[in-house]
């Protein structure tokens, strides 16, 4: 029984050469595409569960592929990207990519991302009413956050921010996405809001706010909530 | 103390005391020894003299303070909108009085808060003492006046025209002392101006100091130049006409011999000028009387009507002489003006073709030298503002350190310096700033100290040339700035390409190695044996790919840094080709290589390692672009005193326009499926290595039957070619 079907889009044959056996060994069906055109065709015809997309494609910018896919599909997209080009990642994420993995990567990291992406695709995640991680629990229905059974008092904005991140636990959220979700589209440039509120949240929910493991920073890109 | 000391002093301190006090001090022996003081008091130190001197001193000091004040106001940029009510027109000439006129006008202008225009008028072609005039004009500029140089025949009309055009409300003019004769015969310029000024006020400034020079024409120098022509030509003409007249009257009776003489006058006027014509008129008068009027061969005249006719002739002749002379002068002026215009036009055409600063400077210097005959230097500021010599024409002239100081002064102060100026006049060069609206862009030096000042009229030419040069220099500077920016952008682009190449060429093998290794570790036990082996192979291959890329980068760095020192030795080509082939076969197993090396191939002088790398790069390139399954040929042959080695593939080939580009760093061709391949370094390294070994490399495409690419490497044969037999 296959865990899911994964479309790998990369122009380098070497990448396919190890990803295909690795993904099959992990229980996935791997589909291969070398160009953007091929990727778009396979995405439409063979119903993959996740797309792994390299941004440097010969025939078209990978970001264009995201844009056109997002016009008709909510298919999870994980971007393969080089370190040091944060702007490119942010752009891809804001265009609708779900996550990214930096090249070079270990297979374990990629598989974890794939699992998260697939889980978020399931409808249950959306209507989730309760979220637990470690000793922290968030009751999304009652808007109550507690740590080790003790109630944590959050301002409405802090709660909104935490709840939004918890709903996307395991996925990276760009600054912009968080700002839009919590403060509204007029505040996409107000990065300092986010810094302040993340700082406050960390002091309230993290065991050690100086070494956070619930709200992790993705340098230059955004934040990722643990799962 | 001479006046010059006062003029050049940095600071003047006025110590003032009333004459009575001074005489008192004199009496007390505080100035001179008592007996000297006695004599001084009787001779010079009388109250009247002292009062006069005191007034002079006070006035000089006041002038100075006034200059400084105006200077200061100018410098502090109190430009503001000047009151528009009053406007002054100031007339100056090459006379010493003009300085006083300028100072008076300056005081008047600042009192009225009015703009003032200083003009100097010369007659066309007149020689003037331009040094003093220049100094006066500069003084005026420094005091804030607008200055203008005008040439005109009729001074008064020109002045009034300018005054009306510029909405002048007041005119300031100097009145020079005139001789009794001049006063009786002609009205002075101020008088005539006052007569025509209408509602314009005229201020007349009178001389109060003895004037040491008089302006105006200098007939002597003019007549020296063409004395022979001015006297000889009329003489010859009148003699000729007399002979002709005699010849004609011998044959038929001619009533109007006088007409013939008029011809002589006109010819003289047109050919050699007004004075020559007047002289011809007088000669004709004499000759006509002597040779043709009864009684002939005497100056006596019999009939009263002939007496009358003779003087009518004289009047007519002189009038004709004047007219024809003026005609000639005007024609000459038009001609010289046309010449100057033509020269300026040629110059501007030359400049428009010169985009680089060097070219502009060279063209300007050469043109100035050709026009004025003076050595010319052009100096421009460097990037850091330091003034350096841009060009000198003729090129053998030198500029010593003192002259450089003068040049710097001219540049920094935007005023004249060097020869016959107030700053460093001992220098043979005269430096003038070349100004644009923005700032001085350069300094021109004219070598005036060795063969005299500029010829009259050249001043205008220099002025015109410098105005054009200023624009051209400014333009060239902007052009080079934009070129520099383009170069920066280009190097930026290279860096971006390097970055892209690094991130692609380093990261793909690294991603493969890391991905395959982690897959084996985490999922290896779920994989089939062949899959595991393939992953291990891919790790090995990618590691060696990475190694090649790093080696390429290293080679490139050595080439760029210039630290590559080829270890030239005598080597045999088959050995090197063999080594390269072995390495390529490892990367591209199964490719077919056709090797054909001439049997008489001599040894060459090269670095075995570098040449091996070049061949490897060429072969690798051929494998990448040659198309799967197509054989790759390697030929080696002797060509003159070079050995030519070629590597030919049978791929798509390279469009002709890209043949040069393929050797550029990070230039990559697209593979048939559109993917960029390779590092974009291989060929540029090959070129760098071959050139370091004194050889050449070039690409040809198509190579065979409209397909493929051929790379040909040429290297010099070793100096003592060994035959293959003796080598073995």
């Amino acid at each position: 029984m296959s865990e899911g079907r994964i479309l790998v889009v990369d122009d380098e044959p070497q990448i396919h050469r190890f990803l295909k056996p690795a993904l099959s060994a992990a229980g996935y069906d791997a589909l291969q595409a070398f160009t953007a055109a091929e990727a778009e065709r396979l995405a439409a015809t063979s119903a993959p569960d996740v797309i792994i997309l390299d941004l440097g494609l010969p025939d078209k910018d990978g970001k264009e592929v995201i844009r056109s896919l997002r016009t008709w599909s909510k298919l999870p997209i994980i971007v393969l990207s080089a370190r040091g080009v944060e702007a490119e990642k942010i752009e891809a994420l804001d265009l609708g990519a779900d996550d990214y993995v930096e090249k070079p990567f270990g297979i374990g990291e990629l598989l974890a991302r794939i699992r998260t992406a697939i889980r978020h695709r399931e409808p249950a995640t959306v209507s989730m009413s309760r979220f637990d991680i470690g000793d922290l629990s968030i009751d999304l229905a009652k808007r109550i956050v507690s740590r080790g059974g003790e109630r944590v008092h959050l301002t409405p904005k802090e709660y909104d921010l935490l709840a939004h991140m918890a709903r996307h636990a395991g996925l990276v959220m760009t600054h912009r996405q968080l700002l839009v979700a919590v403060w509204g589209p007029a505040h996409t440039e107000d990065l300092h809001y986010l810094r302040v509120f993340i700082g406050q949240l960390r002091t309230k929910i993290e065991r050690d706010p100086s070494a956070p493991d619930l709200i992790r920073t993705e340098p230059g890109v955004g934040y990722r909530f643990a799962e | 103390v001479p006046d010059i000391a006062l003029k050049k002093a940095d600071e003047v301190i006025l110590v003032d005391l009333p004459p009575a006090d001074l005489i008192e001090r004199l009496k007390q022996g505080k100035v001179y020894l008592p007996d000297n003081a006695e004599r001084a008091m009787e001779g010079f130190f009388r109250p009247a003299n002292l009062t006069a001197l005191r007034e002079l001193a006070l006035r000089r000091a006041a002038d100075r303070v006034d200059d400084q004040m105006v200077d200061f106001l100018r410098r502090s940029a109190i430009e503001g909108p000047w009151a528009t009510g009053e406007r002054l027109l100031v007339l100056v000439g090459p006379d010493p009085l003009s300085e006083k006129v300028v100072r008076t006008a300056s005081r008047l202008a600042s009192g009225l808060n009015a703009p003032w225009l200083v003009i100097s008028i010369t007659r066309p072609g007149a020689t003037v003492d331009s040094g003093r005039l220049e100094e006066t004009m500069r003084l005026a500029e420094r005091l804030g006046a607008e200055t203008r140089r005008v040439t005109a025949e009729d001074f008064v009309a020109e002045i009034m025209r300018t005054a009306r055009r510029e909405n002048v409300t007041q005119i300031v003019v100097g009145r020079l002392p005139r001789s009794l004769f001049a006063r009786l015969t002609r009205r002075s310029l101020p008088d005539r101006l006052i007569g025509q000024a209408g509602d314009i006020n005229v201020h007349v400034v009178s001389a109060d100091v003895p004037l040491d020079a008089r302006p105006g024409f200098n007939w002597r120098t003019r007549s020296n130049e063409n004395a022979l022509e001015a006297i000889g030509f009329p003489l010859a003409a009148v003699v000729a006409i007399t002979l002709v007249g005699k010849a004609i009257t011998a044959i038929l009776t001619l009533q109007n011999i006088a007409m013939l003489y008029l011809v002589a006058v006109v010819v003289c006027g047109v050919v050699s000028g007004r004075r020559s014509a007047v002289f011809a008129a007088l000669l004709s008068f004499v000759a006509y009387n002597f040779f043709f009027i009864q009684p002939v061969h005497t100056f006596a005249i019999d009939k009263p009507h002939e007496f009358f006719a003779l003087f009518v002739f004289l009047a007519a002749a002189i009038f004709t002489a004047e007219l024809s002379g003026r005609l000639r002068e005007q024609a000459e002026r038009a001609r010289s003006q046309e010449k100057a215009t033509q020269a300026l036009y040629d110059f501007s055409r030359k400049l428009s073709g010169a985009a680089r600063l060097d070219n502009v400077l060279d063209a300007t210097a050469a043109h100035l030298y050709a026009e004025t005959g003076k050595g010319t230097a052009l100096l421009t500021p460097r990037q850091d503002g330091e003034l350096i010599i841009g060009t000198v024409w003729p090129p053998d002239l030198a500029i010593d350190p003192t002259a450089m100081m003068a040049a710097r002064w001219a540049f920094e102060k935007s005023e004249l310096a060097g020869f016959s100026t107030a700053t460093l006049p001992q220098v043979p060069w005269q430096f003038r700033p070349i100004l644009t609206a923005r700032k001085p862009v350069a300094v021109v030096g004219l070598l005036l100290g060795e063969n005299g000042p500029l010829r009259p009229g050249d001043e205008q030419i220099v002025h015109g040339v410098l105005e054009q040069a200023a624009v051209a220099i400014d333009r060239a500077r902007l052009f080079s700035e934009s070129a520099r920016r383009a170069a920066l952008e280009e190097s930026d682009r290279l860096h971006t390409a390097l970055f892209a190449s690094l991130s692609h060429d380093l990261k793909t093998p690294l991603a493969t190695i890391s991905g395959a290794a982690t897959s084996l570790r985490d999922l290896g036990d779920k994989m089939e044996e062949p899959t595991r082996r393939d992953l291990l192979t891919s790790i090995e291959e990618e590691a060696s790919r990475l190694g090649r890329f790093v080696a390429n980068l290293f080679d490139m760095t050595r080439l760029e840094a210039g630290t590559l020192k080829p270890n030239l030795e005598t080597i045999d080509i088959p050995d090197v080709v063999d080594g390269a082939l072995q390495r390529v076969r490892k990367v591209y197993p199964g490719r077919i290589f056709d090797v054909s090396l001439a049997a008489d191939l001599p040894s060459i002088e090269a670095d075995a390692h570098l040449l091996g790398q070049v061949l490897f790069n060429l072969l690798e390139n051929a494998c990448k672009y040659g198309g799967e399954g197509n054989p790759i040929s390697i030929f080696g042959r002797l060509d003159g005193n070079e050995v030519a080695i070629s590597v030919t593939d049978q791929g798509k080939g390279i469009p002709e326009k890209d043949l040069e580009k393929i050797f550029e760093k990070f230039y990559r061709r697209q593979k048939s499926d559109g993917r960029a391949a390779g590092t974009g370094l291989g060929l540029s390294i090959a070129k760098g290595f071959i050139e370091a070994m004194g050889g050449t490399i070039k690409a040809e495409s198509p190579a065979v039957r409209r397909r493929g690419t051929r790379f040909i490497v040429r290297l010099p044969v070793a100096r003592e070619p060994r035959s293959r037999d003796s080598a073995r």
Side-chain angles (χ1 to χ4, degrees):
Chain A
M1 180 58 206
S2 166
E3 295 276 324
R5 187 175 289 175
I6 296 172
L7 173 59
V8 180
V9 189
D10 198 309
D11 63 330
E12 293 294 335
Q14 301 96 305
I15 302 289
H16 289 291
R17 189 172 167 190
F18 78 84
L19 268 185
K20 193 177 169 70
L23 288 174
S24 1
Y28 296 100
D29 281 344
L31 297 168
Q32 297 182 341
F34 289 87
T35 62
E38 236 178 301
E40 282 169 10
R41 188 174 54 78
L42 282 172
T45 57
S46 51
D49 296 293
V50 175
I51 295 182
I52 295 173
L53 177 69
D54 186 284
L55 291 180
L57 294 175
D59 54 338
K60 206 177 185 185
D61 192 314
K63 295 191 284 291
E64 286 303 308
V65 178
I66 300 174
R67 203 193 301 273
S68 78
L69 277 177
R70 278 292 171 258
T71 59
W72 58 271
S73 163
K74 287 190 159 183
L75 199 59
I77 300 173
I78 298 171
V79 166
L80 291 183
S81 157
R83 185 173 293 131
V85 279
E86 267 59 43
E88 189 182 71
K89 288 174 207 155
I90 293 170
E91 211 178 320
L93 290 169
D94 284 340
L95 279 171
D98 295 85
D99 214 333
Y100 69 87
V101 176
E102 278 182 347
K103 271 184 183 178
F105 52 86
I107 197 73
E109 189 187 355
L110 181 67
L111 292 176
R113 294 271 187 277
I114 291 172
R115 279 195 298 275
T116 307
I118 289 178
R119 201 176 50 247
H120 277 282
R121 208 197 162 199
E122 285 156 12
T125 323
V126 182
S127 59
M128 181 177 68
S129 66
R130 200 184 159 77
F131 182 88
D132 290 284
I133 180 162
D135 58 354
L136 185 79
S137 75
I138 305 167
D139 188 328
L140 292 167
K142 296 184 183 156
R143 296 174 64 98
I144 291 172
V145 180
S146 53
R147 219 182 82 188
E150 214 167 298
R151 176 88 181 262
V152 178
H153 294 279
L154 297 178
T155 67
K157 280 274 183 265
E158 286 169 358
Y159 175 80
D160 288 348
L161 184 59
L162 181 64
H164 189 78
M165 289 200 289
R167 281 197 193 96
H168 298 83
L171 294 177
V172 67
M173 309 275 318
T174 64
H175 299 129
R176 183 193 166 84
Q177 286 167 341
L178 289 170
L179 283 164
V180 170
V182 179
W183 281 273
H187 296 278
T188 54
E189 303 299 320
D190 299 324
L191 214 62
H192 53 282
Y193 287 14
L194 203 53
R195 293 226 174 83
V196 170
F197 277 83
I198 293 282
Q200 287 169 2
L201 266 181
R202 280 176 172 162
T203 59
K204 290 181 181 176
I205 63 169
E206 295 278 3
R207 208 165 300 150
D208 176 5
S210 61
D213 54 23
L214 292 176
I215 304 172
R216 267 168 289 174
T217 302
E218 293 282 318
V221 177
Y223 298 96
R224 187 193 298 274
F225 199 74
E227 53 175 338
Chain B
V1 182
D3 277 4
I4 192 92
L6 266 181
K7 212 181 276 179
K8 292 203 168 172
D10 290 328
E11 217 168 311
V12 174
I13 296 169
L14 180 70
V15 181
D16 181 45
L17 76 172
D21 290 5
L22 182 59
I23 293 172
E24 192 54 40
R25 285 169 68 86
L26 212 58
K27 279 179 183 156
Q28 290 167 4
K30 285 184 179 169
V31 180
Y32 291 127
L33 292 172
D35 52 348
N36 279 353
E38 200 65 29
R39 259 183 287 133
M41 256 186 293
E42 279 164 12
F44 188 74
F45 281 67
R46 282 172 305 174
N49 267 352
L50 287 178
T51 308
L53 276 173
R54 189 180 178 211
E55 191 206 338
L56 199 62
L58 284 172
R59 210 160 50 194
R60 279 292 171 96
D63 274 352
R64 223 185 136 84
V65 172
D66 187 55
D67 287 3
Q68 284 168 348
M69 184 64 189
V70 174
D71 241 1
F72 170 75
L73 285 176
R74 292 263 134 202
R75 261 205 306 273
S76 341
I78 308 179
E79 300 279 357
W82 291 88
T84 47
E86 299 286 336
R87 212 173 145 80
L88 270 59
L89 179 67
V90 184
L91 309 173
V92 298
D95 51 272
L97 176 59
S98 288
E99 186 188 328
K100 191 184 170 201
V101 172
V102 166
R103 288 189 190 285
T104 308
S106 160
R107 269 199 300 277
L108 199 58
S110 52
L112 292 167
N113 196 19
W116 50 305
L117 171 66
V118 175
I119 64 174
S120 73
I121 310 186
T122 43
R123 289 218 164 71
T127 317
V128 292
D129 173 6
S130 69
R132 174 144 43 198
L133 180 59
E134 282 300 320
E135 211 170 299
T136 309
M137 294 298 257
R138 271 205 306 284
L139 172 72
E141 277 167 19
R142 203 154 48 79
L143 295 180
E146 185 187 338
T147 59
R148 203 173 293 172
R149 291 167 178 78
V150 183
T151 47
E153 279 291 352
D154 186 345
F155 282 13
V156 176
E158 179 59 34
I159 292 165
M160 291 320 295
R161 205 164 29 241
T162 309
R164 303 272 177 236
R165 200 172 48 221
E166 302 281 340
N167 289 325
V168 163
T169 56
Q170 313 206 10
I171 294 177
V172 183
V173 62
R175 188 213 301 271
L176 291 165
R178 287 147 54 91
S179 66
L180 182 66
F181 176 73
R183 261 182 269 173
L184 286 175
T185 48
R186 288 183 62 168
R187 295 173 67 204
S188 70
L189 179 68
D191 289 344
R192 281 184 295 153
L193 272 177
I194 293 166
Q196 295 208 9
D199 57 344
I200 299 176
N201 298 334
V202 180
H203 302 255
V204 179
V205 178
S206 305
D208 57 350
V209 285
L211 300 175
D212 53 2
R214 301 285 303 280
F217 288 105
N218 191 335
W219 281 72
R220 191 165 301 137
T221 54
R222 273 169 70 88
S223 58
N224 276 346
E225 285 168 17
N226 47 14
L228 194 72
E229 201 183 316
I231 295 169
F233 198 83
L235 213 58
V238 170
V239 168
I241 289 294
T242 306
L243 290 177
V244 170
K246 277 285 172 202
I248 293 172
T249 43
I251 300 163
L252 49 120
T253 340
L254 197 62
Q255 288 299 318
N256 299 321
I257 297 291
M259 294 297 283
L260 282 176
Y261 282 105
L262 281 187
V263 171
V265 171
V266 170
V267 168
C268 287
V270 171
V271 175
S272 78
R274 189 191 322 195
R275 280 170 309 117
S276 165
V278 172
F279 186 56
L282 293 171
L283 270 181
S284 299
F285 170 73
V286 174
Y288 182 38
N289 184 0
F290 192 78
F291 291 106
F292 294 100
I293 293 182
Q294 299 294 336
V296 213
H297 305 306
T298 68
F299 290 110
I301 300 163
D302 272 0
K303 296 164 194 160
H305 76 268
E306 283 200 333
F307 187 79
F308 178 71
L310 191 62
F311 279 94
V312 167
F313 166 75
L314 178 62
I318 288 182
F319 190 63
T320 310
E322 276 288 326
L323 275 182
S324 63
R326 196 170 293 179
L327 193 72
R328 174 178 182 271
E329 277 168 22
Q330 275 166 359
E332 253 181 10
R333 213 173 307 135
R335 210 175 311 130
S336 80
Q337 221 144 44
E338 192 202 306
K339 215 179 104 194
T341 310
Q342 181 63 37
L344 208 57
Y345 172 69
D346 287 346
F347 177 58
S348 80
R349 229 182 18 198
K350 232 182 286 172
L351 278 190
S352 69
R356 288 184 38 219
L357 185 61
D358 291 2
N359 304 347
V360 171
L361 295 182
D362 285 347
T364 308
H367 185 78
L368 276 177
Y369 179 71
E371 286 296 319
T372 66
K374 310 292 177 204
T376 303
L378 282 160
L379 301 95
T380 52
R382 238 177 8 207
Q383 207 69 26
D384 56 3
E386 174 77 27
L387 200 65
I388 52 162
I389 299 170
T391 187
V392 179
W393 198 267
D396 53 336
L397 293 177
I399 297 180
D400 61 37
T402 326
M404 276 307 285
M405 269 168 64
R408 259 178 233 123
W409 177 278
F411 184 69
E412 278 155 21
K413 309 278 178 195
S414 288
E415 60 178 51
L416 267 67
F419 185 74
S420 93
T421 69
T423 314
L424 295 166
Q426 73 273 27
V427 168
W429 294 87
Q430 187 180 82
F431 293 100
R432 305 163 177 222
I434 301 182
L435 299 158
T436 64
R438 295 198 299 165
K439 54 181 192 263
V441 289
V443 173
V444 63
L446 295 170
L447 192 58
L448 304 182
E450 285 186 2
N451 49 7
L454 289 173
R455 286 189 299 265
D458 280 0
E459 191 63 48
Q460 268 100 331
I461 292 174
V462 171
H463 204 71
V465 166
L466 291 189
E467 250 168 38
Q468 293 212 6
V471 175
I473 290 172
D474 209 27
R475 191 192 55 193
R477 283 210 171 279
L478 291 175
F479 182 80
S480 80
E481 264 169 40
S482 77
R484 205 169 23 247
R485 206 164 303 133
L488 272 180
E489 273 163 22
E490 172 64 16
S491 100
D492 225 38
R493 197 188 61 75
L494 263 182
H495 275 110
T496 313
L498 172 66
F499 188 75
S501 169
L502 275 181
S503 88
H504 186 268
D505 295 302
L506 285 175
K507 282 189 176 155
T508 302
L510 278 176
T512 311
I513 292 167
S514 137
T518 52
S519 300
L520 278 169
R521 186 190 63 202
D522 298 352
L523 307 161
D525 43 1
K526 292 182 198 159
M527 289 175 180
E528 304 284 324
E529 178 56 27
T531 311
R532 280 205 295 270
R533 219 182 359 257
D534 186 57
L535 286 185
L536 285 170
T537 316
S538 82
I539 291 173
E540 189 191 352
E541 282 176 12
E542 291 306 301
S544 86
R545 190 154 83 117
L546 210 53
R548 288 202 302 282
F549 181 66
V550 171
N552 267 348
L553 272 183
F554 183 65
D555 287 341
M556 200 69 229
T557 314
R558 279 203 297 167
L559 273 174
E560 300 255 289
T563 55
L564 183 85
K565 294 268 179 299
N567 176 24
L568 293 184
E569 52 191 347
T570 307
I571 56 169
D572 289 323
I573 289 164
D575 301 345
V576 184
V577 170
D578 211 43
L581 273 175
Q582 275 176 31
R583 284 174 61 201
V584 177
R585 283 206 178 97
K586 269 192 214 154
V587 189
Y588 293 92
R591 283 300 177 101
I592 303 156
F593 296 97
D594 252 345
V595 184
S596 152
L597 301 174
D600 61 344
L601 216 52
S603 304
I604 57 168
E605 195 99 324
D607 180 315
H609 167 71
L610 296 188
L611 183 58
Q613 187 61 43
V614 169
L615 289 178
F616 176 80
N617 285 359
L618 293 181
L619 289 169
E620 190 189 28
N621 195 67
C623 290
K624 272 187 211 152
Y625 297 101
E628 296 269 342
N630 291 331
I632 291 157
S633 347
I634 303 153
F635 287 102
R637 64 188 170 84
L638 183 65
D639 187 6
N641 54 357
E642 286 177 329
V643 168
I645 309 165
S646 69
V647 173
T648 311
D649 66 46
Q650 295 181 18
K652 272 202 307 190
I654 303 167
E656 193 171 337
K657 64 180 168 58
D658 293 339
L659 276 178
E660 276 300 311
K661 275 197 234 158
I662 57 171
F663 292 109
E664 284 172 18
K665 249 186 302 175
F666 301 115
Y667 178 83
R668 284 187 263 194
R669 274 184 295 155
Q670 302 270 297
K671 269 191 179 172
S672 50
D673 58 2
R675 292 199 298 127
T679 60
L681 286 175
L683 289 179
S684 87
I685 287 170
K687 187 176 163 76
F689 279 4
I690 289 295
E691 282 169 2
M693 292 187 282
T696 59
I697 184 169
K698 67 167 188 167
E700 288 176 356
S701 183
V704 192
R705 275 181 249 108
R706 286 195 277 150
R707 285 190 70 76
T709 309
R710 175 182 296 132
F711 287 91
I712 304 165
V713 170
R714 288 170 192 279
L715 283 164
V717 171
R719 245 168 261 131
E720 287 172 18
R722 299 172 297 173
S723 76
R724 296 186 69 79
D725 300 326
S726 65
R728 290 277 151 93

